[in-house]
Amino acid sequence: MVISPELADVLSVIILRIRDSTGKVPRIAAHDWHEKIWNPPMPLLFQRRISTENRRLSPDVTRDLLAGALENTGLADPADGRSLRYTPHDFRRLFITEAIMSGLPPHIAQVIAGHRDINVTISYKAVYPEEAIQAHLAFLARRRALRPTDEYRVPTDSEWQEFLGHFERRKVATGTCGRAFGTPCVHEHSCLRCSMHWPSPDQRHRIAEIRDNLIARIAEAEREGWLGEIEGLKISLAGAGDKLAQIDRRPQPATPVDIGMPAFGRITADPTPAKGHS
């Protein structure tokens, strides 16, 4: 989590205050007032000792403690002169606002806050989208100022061709290699064992043939007692099975269904006149 040094000091004081004899924060079960369920034991920071057990500070107690702290500061609302009032949820908004205004990308703030919709995160912050964009651009400028300037020069023609050639060279017989540009093959082109190998659905039959061949080779190695070779073959066999499973998990294109030529029947009225009509 991205936090300021001041907040880190406060959290350290809280942890020192509540941790047990083993140096850990006790895990306690707390009731979720909104979901109406009991959460599993967790190392909650807002807890206190009551009798012989630790209990979470209830929302009402937390709000009362916060109100008392604000009254002791003497701060007042300039509009009506009353003491300032904050809720614990307000601190989420303050944190998101400060983080985004310090250059944190909004989509990263969304992950930290646990929001499913980024628009909820944007509504949390007390700034306009233009300000968030300018703050992020300033953050990027500060980061780039700390890096070597040669990282941002225009690449030469040979460097650009090498970069484009990387995407051609990473094509393999049974799929595509997802290695990053400039990185070597750590598995010595044992592609079926590598997690960076993306199998092609068109090559499923080839991977199935490799799997069957590996099964036959393992059986031969077991008959001949080649124990050292068996282990390597089993690793390749597991990789081939994994690649086949990856292909099978992919959504298959819809197959057209032949419903035949529709029979329209008699689309015109019966030319035979009904009785009583000429």
Side-chain angles (χ1 to χ4, degrees):
M1 179 181 293
V2 182
I3 59 177
S4 63
E6 294 80 8
L7 179 56
D9 291 339
V10 173
L11 294 176
S12 299
V13 173
I14 295 175
I15 293 175
L16 288 174
R17 183 183 303 166
I18 65 176
R19 65 182 181 180
D20 56 20
S21 58
T22 64
K24 299 180 180 179
V25 176
R27 296 176 178 269
I28 58 175
H31 186 261
D32 191 322
W33 299 96
H34 297 284
E35 300 295 337
K36 307 300 182 184
I37 59 174
W38 281 90
N39 292 322
M42 295 182 291
L44 302 179
L45 292 182
F46 294 99
Q47 59 176 276
R48 60 179 176 176
R49 190 75 175 177
I50 299 180
S51 184
T52 59
E53 61 180 359
N54 288 6
R55 297 182 184 178
R56 183 193 69 165
L57 293 177
S58 67
D60 293 336
V61 172
T62 304
R63 282 191 288 266
D64 292 341
L65 293 174
L66 182 58
L70 287 172
E71 291 179 359
N72 293 333
T73 62
L75 299 176
D77 189 339
D80 54 12
R82 297 181 179 179
S83 299
L84 293 179
R85 300 286 297 182
Y86 283 100
T87 65
H89 194 75
D90 290 331
F91 289 95
R92 280 175 60 87
R93 299 178 180 273
L94 293 173
F95 173 80
I96 295 298
T97 299
E98 182 179 0
I100 292 180
M101 292 305 294
S102 298
L104 186 71
H107 66 280
I108 301 299
Q110 173 193 359
V111 175
I112 295 176
H115 294 152
R116 295 182 180 179
D117 188 356
I118 195 172
N119 292 320
V120 178
T121 309
I122 296 298
S123 67
Y124 259 47
K125 62 180 183 58
V127 293
Y128 293 102
E130 293 79 5
E131 293 176 331
I133 295 173
Q134 294 302 321
H136 185 53
L137 292 177
F139 169 76
L140 294 178
R142 293 194 301 270
R143 291 291 299 273
R144 289 179 176 177
L146 300 176
R147 295 183 177 182
T149 55
D150 57 348
E151 293 186 6
Y152 300 97
R153 62 178 175 81
V154 178
T156 62
D157 292 339
S158 60
E159 291 173 338
W160 182 246
Q161 292 301 323
E162 180 184 0
F163 176 75
L164 295 178
H166 163 78
F167 296 96
E168 292 297 326
R169 292 192 299 271
R170 73 180 190 176
K171 294 180 180 179
V172 295
T174 55
T176 304
C177 178
R179 288 181 290 117
F181 172 68
T183 57
C185 179
V186 297
H187 293 105
E188 298 180 355
H189 301 285
S190 299
C191 299
L192 293 182
R193 301 184 181 185
C194 183
S195 60
M196 298 304 297
H197 173 262
W198 300 338
S200 172
D202 298 335
Q203 300 298 322
R204 191 188 189 285
H205 66 285
R206 294 193 60 186
I207 300 177
E209 291 177 358
I210 294 174
R211 177 201 57 192
D212 297 340
N213 179 262
L214 287 169
I215 294 175
R217 291 173 60 187
I218 290 175
E220 178 185 7
E222 290 175 344
R223 289 194 305 268
E224 300 296 335
W226 301 332
L227 301 181
E229 187 175 354
I230 293 175
E231 295 300 325
L233 292 174
K234 287 184 176 180
I235 295 176
S236 298
L237 178 61
D242 180 65
K243 301 308 175 184
L244 291 173
Q246 290 183 31
I247 295 176
D248 295 339
R249 285 196 299 265
R250 294 179 183 175
Q252 301 298 324
T255 303
V257 179
D258 184 10
I259 60 176
M261 181 64 68
F264 292 99
R266 298 168 64 185
I267 58 175
T268 59
D270 191 340
T272 304
K275 293 181 179 181
H277 293 79
S278 58

